[in-house]
């Protein structure tokens, strides 16, 4: 269904320092995104707050700790906790990453890049299928920001994502900031990414800020989620909307968190671009 | 072509290696330590204040080497931090750090423990007086009890991020006891006496009321049972009252 201009599509990440303000002010927002692992607790004030907010806001539950691409078996306790969360809060979207995170029983608690090979693809298809079967609902898989590539990769990331979506039935969470970072760090044209995904469902978009640091004498863009969305990413977002149409969009901000008002203004900006995109398409 | 598992093994080895890599792998090497440190600092803010940011970073790295994360949920990583600190600072003037960490971890556990409905005092007062000695009281699963031979409650209260340190604390102040319990918005700490602590420890171990009271009186003949029970009911800390001699769970529930 093509959303009408009246249907707001842009939201922000719900983060702990803003909990009180959300609880008391209830600002207008199309959707709240939560990081699943921060709400696994079965009792206490946090689940109570989320249940309260859920009455007024749709939720998008975004997992960051499952490590779907890990060669190690999936953590069944983690899966159970995720399912309990999904069952309790009935989110509009459930998503995870195209990443791995565990090896030999140790969890790196980071989103680590996969080589894009046939073996990895089969592995991810199997894992995403397992996740969807367990949750009994489709999930979205997010493209990753990465700082290294693998010589053994036989596909690029967008080909990998398109094949993953086609074979598993998942849809894509397109992080425009991640795409921009990768395009700069690895040297490719991000618009080709959109072309490669033209038959793939993109059901959510993320926007965030990043920084530039010198790593080994080379300037690299790092996915810090600690600043405003930069103009280049806004521009890429405009172009993404031309390809994929109006799409649920989340502003993510996780470090050096500013006042909630700053996040809401970023969401307003995304909303304005969405409306312009809608007007242009009609 | 290397298999996926071999690529992940090689990647992990670079991340875990104490030698800092050159180039982009530096980012992952750094993230592994920084993410762990940040999560640990959120769970132990007073320890971070006490040791200082730099020292906390060093401690976090040593602790991570000994007790790496095993879960995608970083909320579990602090479980063994107090025992790590106990070993690290044994025979030092800072041996009390471990007990401060016990208190901070108890606070974290209290915040996320399951919710259970409390009973009101009539659950106890309805019980025939001759049966009271054999009554067992079940406490909120979120309730945590803390005791230390050092004044850790004073140290914790003084160094919390939302209060300003108010000068030196004399360790010779001696032992302190406290209970940490769930409130509507989070958690609260209340100091208690050694006798009250012994009484609550006994209740947690599912002792009968007469046995728990005996433990308290053995420490302090002035132990005030009525006042403590009144406070426990007022703060919604009693979730079940069982009468009779049968084990907890199969007795007569007075609710």
């Amino acid at each position: 269904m093509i959303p009408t201009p009246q249907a707001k599509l842009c939201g922000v990440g719900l983060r702990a320092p803003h909990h009180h303000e959300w609880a008391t002010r209830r600002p207008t927002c199309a959707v709240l995104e939560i990081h699943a692992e921060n709400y696994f607790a079965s009792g206490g004030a946090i689940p109570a707050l989320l249940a309260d907010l859920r009455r007024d806001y749709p939720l998008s539950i975004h997992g960051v700790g499952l490590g779907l691409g890990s060669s190690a078996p999936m953590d069944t306790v983690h899966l159970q906790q995720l399912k309990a969360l999904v069952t309790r809060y009935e989110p509009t979207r459930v998503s995870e990453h195209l990443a791995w995170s565990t090896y030999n029983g140790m969890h790196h608690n980071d989103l680590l890049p996969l080589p894009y090979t046939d073996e990895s693809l089969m592995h991810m298809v199997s894992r995403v299928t397992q996740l969807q079967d367990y949750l009994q609902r489709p999930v979205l898989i997010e493209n990753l920001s990465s700082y290294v590539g693998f010589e053994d990769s036989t596909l690029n990331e967008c080909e990998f994502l398109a094949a993953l979506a086609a074979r598993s039935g998942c849809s894509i969470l397109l992080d425009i900031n991640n795409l921009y970072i990768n395009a700069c760090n690895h040297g490719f044209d991000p618009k080709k990414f959109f072309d490669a995904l033209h038959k793939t469902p993109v059901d959510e978009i993320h926007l965030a800020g990043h920084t530039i640091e010198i790593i080994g004498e080379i300037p690299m863009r790092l996915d810090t989620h600690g600043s405003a969305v930069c103009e280049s990413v806004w521009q890429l977002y405009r172009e993404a909307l031309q390809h994929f149409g109006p799409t649920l969009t989340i502003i993510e901000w996780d470090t050096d968190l500013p006042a909630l008002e700053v996040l809401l203004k970023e969401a307003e900006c995304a909303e304005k671009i969405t409306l312009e995109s809608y007007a242009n398409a009609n | 072509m290397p298999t996926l598992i071999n690529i992940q093994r090689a990647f992990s080895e670079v991340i875990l290696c104490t030698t800092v890599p050159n180039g982009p792998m530096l980012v992952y090497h750094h993230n592994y330590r920084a993410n762990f440190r940040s999560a640990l600092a959120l769970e132990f803010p007073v320890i971070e204040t006490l040791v200082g940011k730099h020292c906390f970073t060093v401690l976090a790295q040593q602790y991570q080497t000994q007790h790496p994360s095993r879960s995608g949920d970083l909320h579990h990583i602090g479980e063994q931090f107090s025992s790590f600190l106990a070993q690290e600072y044994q025979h030092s003037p800072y041996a009390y750090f471990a007990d401060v960490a016990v208190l901070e971890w108890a606070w974290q556990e209290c915040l996320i423990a399951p919710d259970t409905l409390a009973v009101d005092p009539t659950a106890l007062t309805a019980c025939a007086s001759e049966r009271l000695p054999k009554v067992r009281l079940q406490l909120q699963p979120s309730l945590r009890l803390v005791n230390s031979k050092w004044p850790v409650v004073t140290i914790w209260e003084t160094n919390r991020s939302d209060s300003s340190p108010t000068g030196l604390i004399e360790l010779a102040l001696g032992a302190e006891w406290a209970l940490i319990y769930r409130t509507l918005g989070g958690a609260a700490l209340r100091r208690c006496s050694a006798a009250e602590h012994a009484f609550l420890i006994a209740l947690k171990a599912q002792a009968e009321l007469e046995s728990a009271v005996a433990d308290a009186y053995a420490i302090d003949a002035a132990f005030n049972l009525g006042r403590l029970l009144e406070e426990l009911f007022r703060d919604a800390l009693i979730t079940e009252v069982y009468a009779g001699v049968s084990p907890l769970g199969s007795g007569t529930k007075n609710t």
Side-chain angles (χ1 to χ4, degrees):
Chain A
M1 186 181 81
I2 297 173
T4 67
Q6 285 77 29
K8 286 189 178 293
L9 279 174
C10 300
V12 303
L14 173 67
R15 303 297 182 253
H18 296 150
H19 278 173
H20 178 70
E21 203 168 352
W22 280 107
T24 52
R25 259 187 62 205
R26 291 291 204 272
T28 303
C29 189
V31 61
L32 289 178
E33 179 232 46
I34 61 162
H35 286 172
E37 291 74 11
N38 288 337
Y39 296 86
F40 275 176
S42 57
I46 302 291
L49 169 81
L50 194 56
D52 184 37
L53 292 177
R54 178 65 187 87
R55 284 191 274 275
D56 288 337
Y57 302 99
L59 285 184
S60 176
I61 293 184
H62 190 44
V64 298
L66 204 46
L68 283 170
S70 305
S71 49
M74 273 213 273
D75 181 341
T76 52
V77 173
H78 198 111
L79 269 178
Q80 287 163 9
Q81 289 176 303
L82 181 61
K83 183 163 186 174
L85 200 67
V86 169
T87 303
R88 179 169 183 185
Y89 298 107
E90 300 179 333
T92 60
R93 307 277 196 287
V94 180
S95 55
E96 250 290 353
H97 294 83
L98 180 59
W100 67 281
S101 51
T102 59
Y103 179 76
N104 199 25
M106 291 167 63
H107 210 294
H108 295 305
N109 299 111
D110 196 4
L111 300 165
L112 304 174
L114 284 162
Y116 299 129
T117 62
D118 288 343
E119 184 199 5
S120 300
L121 180 58
M122 284 173 60
H123 182 67
M124 276 299 293
V125 169
S126 164
R127 287 294 166 88
V128 171
T129 303
Q130 186 185 343
L131 176 61
Q132 293 182 136
D133 288 349
Y134 187 75
L135 297 179
Q136 296 183 298
R137 60 179 293 161
V139 300
L140 293 80
I141 298 297
E142 179 182 335
N143 60 306
L144 196 68
S145 57
S146 65
Y147 312 108
V148 295
F150 296 91
E151 288 177 355
D152 303 303
S153 289
T154 53
L155 303 165
N156 59 39
E157 188 182 22
C158 51
E159 291 168 338
F160 192 96
L161 280 166
L164 174 62
R167 293 190 199 180
S168 71
C170 75
S171 53
I172 301 304
L173 192 174
L174 182 58
D175 189 313
I176 304 289
N177 184 53
N178 289 354
L179 173 58
Y180 180 74
I181 286 172
N182 288 355
C184 295
N185 287 346
H186 303 306
F188 64 85
D189 179 358
K191 291 165 200 164
K192 289 186 178 170
F193 206 94
F194 300 150
D195 296 333
L197 290 178
H198 74 286
K199 288 184 179 170
T200 305
V202 172
D203 286 341
E204 186 173 327
I205 286 177
H206 281 181
L207 297 169
H210 64 265
T211 57
I212 302 175
E213 287 187 29
I214 305 298
I215 309 288
E217 299 180 354
I218 300 167
M220 291 197 78
R221 288 174 195 266
L222 301 182
D223 185 21
T224 49
H225 288 201
S227 55
V229 177
C230 74
E231 186 46 45
S232 300
V233 170
W234 283 124
Q235 184 53 36
L236 201 53
Y237 177 56
R238 288 184 186 92
E239 292 169 30
L241 294 182
Q242 284 170 20
H243 275 77
F244 305 113
T247 305
L248 179 75
T249 299
I250 302 290
I251 303 292
E252 287 196 306
W253 203 314
D254 294 292
T255 58
D256 294 326
L257 197 66
L260 176 58
E261 214 52 51
V262 177
L263 269 72
L264 293 171
K265 279 189 177 153
E266 295 269 284
E268 268 177 36
C269 186
E271 196 77 54
K272 191 175 163 207
I273 292 170
T274 299
L275 290 174
E276 287 167 4
S277 159
Y278 181 88
N280 292 339
N282 291 277
Chain B
M1 181 185 293
T3 59
L4 181 61
I5 192 168
N6 284 336
I7 288 171
Q8 293 182 353
R9 178 189 298 130
F11 207 105
S12 285
E13 284 171 1
V14 175
I15 290 174
L16 298 175
C17 184
T18 50
T19 307
V20 179
N22 292 316
M25 282 302 290
L26 173 67
V27 179
Y28 298 108
H29 190 272
H30 167 79
N31 286 352
Y32 175 68
R33 288 151 187 83
N35 292 344
F36 189 92
R37 186 222 182 275
S38 299
L40 197 67
L42 285 175
E43 290 167 353
F44 298 96
V46 171
I47 293 291
E48 186 184 27
T49 301
L50 290 172
V51 303
K53 288 189 183 300
H54 175 71
C55 182
F56 190 85
T57 301
V58 174
L59 283 173
Q61 282 191 20
Q62 291 171 349
Y63 176 62
Q64 186 179 24
T65 303
Q66 291 180 31
H67 303 282
S69 170
R70 305 279 180 192
S71 168
D73 178 3
L74 275 165
H75 294 91
H76 301 291
I77 59 170
E79 195 167 7
Q80 296 169 86
F81 194 49
S82 60
S83 54
F84 164 81
L85 290 176
Q87 194 155 11
E88 198 67 22
Y89 288 101
Q90 63 178 331
H91 313 306
S92 90
Y94 306 110
Y96 65 89
F97 284 173
D99 283 3
V100 177
V102 167
L103 191 159
E104 293 207 278
W105 188 246
W107 184 272
Q108 293 300 322
E109 287 186 320
C110 177
L111 286 174
I112 62 171
D115 294 317
T116 308
L117 289 176
V119 295
D120 64 42
T122 56
L124 186 63
T125 54
C127 197
S129 59
E130 66 275 14
R131 301 180 73 186
L132 279 175
K134 300 297 179 189
V135 157
R136 298 168 199 258
L137 304 179
Q138 188 160 309
L139 299 170
Q140 277 286 358
S142 55
L143 179 74
R144 294 290 181 276
L145 300 168
V146 174
N147 72 300
S148 172
K149 62 181 177 181
W150 290 289
V152 291
V153 178
T154 304
I155 293 166
W156 179 79
E157 287 173 338
T158 307
N159 289 282
R160 290 186 74 188
S161 56
D162 53 356
S163 64
S164 304
T166 52
L168 292 173
I169 296 166
E170 183 53 63
L171 288 180
L173 281 172
E176 290 184 336
W177 302 264
L179 55 151
I180 295 170
Y181 59 97
R182 180 79 56 71
T183 62
L184 199 58
L189 178 144
R190 181 170 85 71
R191 289 170 181 270
C192 64
S193 67
E196 288 173 325
H197 183 267
F199 175 77
L200 291 168
I201 287 282
L203 291 190
K204 274 214 153 199
Q206 301 173 11
E208 293 170 348
L209 202 51
E210 65 178 350
S211 170
V213 169
D215 285 356
Y217 280 133
I219 293 172
D220 182 2
F223 169 66
N224 188 332
L225 175 63
R227 190 182 65 191
L228 180 57
L229 286 175
E230 192 180 318
E231 288 173 357
L232 292 175
F233 279 110
R234 181 198 64 201
D235 294 331
L237 298 179
I238 309 284
T239 62
E240 300 279 6
V241 175
Y242 293 95
V245 293
S246 49
L248 188 69
S250 58
T252 306
K253 198 168 78 173
N254 280 7
T255 56

